Amino acid sequence: MSTTRLFITAARIEALTWAGLLIGMFLKYSLELTDLGVWLFGRLHGAAFLLYFFVSLFSAIRLRWPWWCGVLALLAAVPPLVTFPLELWFRKRGMLKAPESI
């Protein structure tokens, strides 16, 4: 799997598990129906967050991002659902293309 595809996959998984966790929290705290969503997506999102963190570091080095892109990628995992639009923005700016060999 290419570095680009790995980053895109990790960013989307992180965003999807965030969405699942938010839905689970709504079901648990607002509707007071079940805590199954928080239990399941809390664990999945924790794993997805770690995956995204390390894939972002790997991608920043491998794709030779400027330092601010690496920091931005890491910070994008903190607020809900930001990794997906960041991935789209990186793609638009050409940050997900492999650097040319010297």
Side-chain angles (χ1 to χ4, degrees), residues 26-96:
F26 176 75
L27 292 174
K28 181 177 181 178
Y29 297 112
S30 293
L31 301 180
E32 297 179 1
L33 291 176
T34 181
D35 65 345
L36 182 61
V38 172
W39 180 85
L40 176 63
F41 281 101
R43 286 161 173 73
L44 291 175
H45 180 65
F49 178 87
L50 291 174
L51 172 73
Y52 177 79
F53 179 84
F54 289 113
V55 167
S56 292
L57 289 176
F58 176 75
S59 298
I61 294 166
R62 186 82 180 223
L63 298 175
R64 297 181 185 163
W65 291 344
W67 69 269
W68 60 269
C69 285
V71 170
L72 195 60
L74 295 175
L75 291 176
V78 177
L81 308 172
V82 176
T83 57
F84 182 67
L86 178 82
E87 174 254 312
L88 296 175
W89 186 67
F90 273 12
R91 186 184 309 197
K92 185 178 177 181
R93 291 187 49 95
M95 301 306 296
L96 296 180

